Amino acid sequence: MNIATDHQADRQAGARHPLQRAQRIFAMRDAVLGVWEQRVRASVRGADQLLKPILTNTLPAFFDNLAEALTPGHPRENAASNSNVPAVHGNERARMTNYGPEQVIQEYQIFRDCFAAVAHESGITLRSKDWHVINESIDVGICESIREFTNMHEAFRRRIAAGLSHDMRNPLAVISTSAQLLLRPVDPERVVLLAHKIAEHSKRLDSMIEELLDSLSYHQGQRLPLALSQFDVLPLVHAVASQVNLQLPDKCQVNGQPVVGWWCENSLRRALENLLGNAIKYGDDAPISVHVEAVHERLIITVHNGGQAIAPEQAERIFDYLRRENDSPAPGWGIGLPFVQNVAESHGGSIAVDSAPETGTSFIFDVPVDCRPFVQPADFPKSDS
């Protein structure tokens, strides 16, 4: 076999059939993710302890973005342009793992190596302009992931500071006052009373610290109460879309595959209603499409509309609670998207946004197919299965 000749033929074929070459790159996804998982588990500290859905994280979406960026004529410049998928990856790594920044960086470096290896095995030559896109994607992906990873850990520290300065102020005040009174001459009965107060509020303070640490150990805020059950999510998506179509005929189209898993049906329904309502409100009367698929034990629901793109400076804040833009009297994106984010994170997943003038806006709801390992046992009923 003459590899050089084969690669020359591949270049010629790629020049004649660029879209066919792009399809071959898209077809590499499962192979790249499979090899990536093996290498990461073997070489990244702490990765071998992660369950598959958490390890895979947002990598399928990142791969698809990269494949689009490598497609001739596609408006995406790199895997991170017009998308917050890398930031969501860093967010999940902060919330769901014991990683440090070096582990996040290492994962991206391994992804680049795996992509190149599978492309070579598939007979796809990566040209210099391809490598420019790949390297830029990895570099920007690392920067955005680490920035969000760092921001999340900084937020954890701010929560601790807020808790210490607010919730714990009262018991500390009682302890301090009681201790000061003990320094004064008091009768024995008063000493016993003050000692009991100190003991009581010390116990209360200890309990508050334990609750705070428990909360931070999950790397997230208040989690939604979830009632998990096993069901096929596709009929649920069709049901929510049909509600939209009753008022706006043929507005929402659903495609994809049945996916049976463990989720909170009521929470998913409300999250979908919010995403579709958001698409109607900001979609400039454009059609809405919902795609359902399962990738490496992750459920991915993508809600797309062709309306006006979200400005980059807004995309960073659309999940903020009751965010307002330019002091507008309207409450911006309201509580809908923060609720959707809470639903995703409470299931052990995430929500990402991808928006550009050329392609419209997509919200990517990405959670494990079986959420039971990532939800507190009290949050779902026992099952005989």
Side-chain angles (χ1 to χ4, degrees):
M1 177 184 298
N2 189 323
I3 296 179
T5 303
D6 286 347
H7 286 179
Q8 182 179 5
D10 179 74
R11 286 195 295 271
Q12 293 172 350
R16 292 195 302 269
H17 305 290
L19 294 181
Q20 185 179 25
R21 181 178 186 270
Q23 291 173 351
R24 292 173 63 197
I25 292 176
F26 273 102
M28 291 166 36
R29 184 173 72 173
D30 283 349
V32 171
L33 294 179
V35 175
W36 177 86
E37 179 183 349
Q38 292 178 0
R39 293 190 183 180
V40 168
R41 288 194 184 279
S43 57
V44 175
R45 180 174 54 82
D48 59 330
Q49 303 297 322
L50 300 179
L51 296 177
K52 185 182 182 73
I54 297 301
L55 181 65
T56 302
N57 191 252
T58 61
L59 263 294
F62 185 81
F63 178 94
D64 288 349
N65 287 355
L66 178 57
E68 289 177 354
L70 293 172
T71 300
H74 198 283
R76 193 184 298 279
E77 296 180 2
N78 60 66
S81 61
N82 306 318
S83 173
N84 73 338
V85 165
V88 172
H89 179 79
N91 181 296
E92 275 207 34
R93 285 300 186 247
R95 289 186 293 108
M96 305 295 292
T97 74
N98 292 321
Y99 276 14
E102 64 275 13
Q103 279 76 44
V104 179
I105 295 172
Q106 194 177 358
E107 283 187 333
Y108 275 101
Q109 293 171 335
I110 293 173
F111 179 88
R112 174 169 45 200
D113 294 342
C114 292
F115 189 95
V118 173
H120 179 76
E121 293 172 2
S122 302
I124 301 174
T125 300
L126 297 176
R127 301 158 293 193
S128 58
K129 61 180 181 180
D130 296 327
W131 274 112
H132 175 77
V133 172
I134 294 169
N135 288 329
E136 186 177 38
S137 297
I138 297 300
D139 292 343
V140 177
I142 288 174
C143 289
E144 295 188 1
S145 290
I146 293 299
R147 181 179 62 185
E148 183 63 19
F149 182 91
T150 303
N151 287 342
M152 283 296 294
H153 280 285
E154 182 62 31
F156 303 154
R157 288 189 286 269
R158 287 198 300 268
R159 288 181 197 173
I160 293 176
L164 289 172
S165 63
H166 185 270
D167 293 342
M168 300 176 185
R169 184 175 297 170
N170 288 337
L172 282 172
V174 173
I175 293 171
S176 177
T177 301
S178 299
Q180 291 176 19
L181 290 174
L182 284 175
L183 295 175
R184 303 175 184 176
V186 293
D187 60 83
E189 291 184 0
R190 184 69 170 167
V191 170
V192 173
L193 178 61
L194 293 173
H196 278 302
K197 281 191 175 183
I198 292 175
E200 175 187 352
H201 286 276
S202 294
K203 184 177 180 181
R204 180 186 172 197
L205 186 60
D206 182 69
S207 177
M208 294 173 67
I209 293 174
E210 184 176 354
E211 290 176 3
L212 180 62
L213 293 177
D214 284 345
S215 175
L216 293 177
S217 70
Y218 289 105
H219 290 181
Q220 57 190 18
Q222 183 178 2
R223 306 205 306 175
L224 291 172
L226 302 180
L228 299 191
S229 61
Q230 188 178 34
F231 62 94
D232 183 352
V233 75
L234 189 59
L236 175 63
V237 175
H238 276 289
V240 176
S242 67
Q243 295 174 5
V244 173
N245 291 332
L246 282 176
Q247 298 180 351
L248 303 169
D250 300 322
K251 177 72 170 178
C252 185
Q253 301 295 322
V254 177
N255 59 79
Q257 63 189 72
V259 182
V260 177
W262 285 84
W263 310 283
C264 176
E265 184 171 1
N266 183 54
S267 295
L268 255 62
R269 180 186 299 274
R270 291 177 59 195
L272 287 167
E273 290 171 347
N274 275 287
L275 287 174
L276 292 182
N278 183 80
I280 294 171
K281 186 175 181 180
Y282 297 100
D284 300 333
D285 296 325
I288 301 170
S289 65
V290 185
H291 182 71
V292 181
E293 65 175 331
V295 180
H296 284 252
E297 300 182 22
R298 304 278 295 197
L299 165 67
I300 301 177
I301 302 176
T302 304
V303 177
H304 176 268
N305 73 79
Q308 183 177 357
I310 302 170
E313 64 273 13
Q314 294 182 7
E316 297 179 359
R317 302 190 300 273
I318 59 174
F319 295 105
D320 291 348
Y321 182 77
L322 290 178
R323 180 183 62 82
R324 297 176 184 267
E325 284 296 326
N326 301 323
D327 297 324
S328 169
W333 295 81
I335 64 172
L337 290 179
F339 173 79
V340 174
Q341 184 181 49
N342 200 353
V343 171
E345 294 182 356
S346 295
H347 281 83
S350 59
I351 177 77
V353 62
D354 189 298
S355 188
E358 300 87 353
T359 57
T361 298
S362 293
F363 283 92
I364 306 163
F365 186 90
D366 182 353
V367 298
V369 168
D370 186 352
C371 292
R372 289 176 294 179
F374 315 109
V375 176
Q376 296 182 45
D379 289 343
F380 58 91
K382 293 182 178 179
S383 171
D384 295 333
S385 61

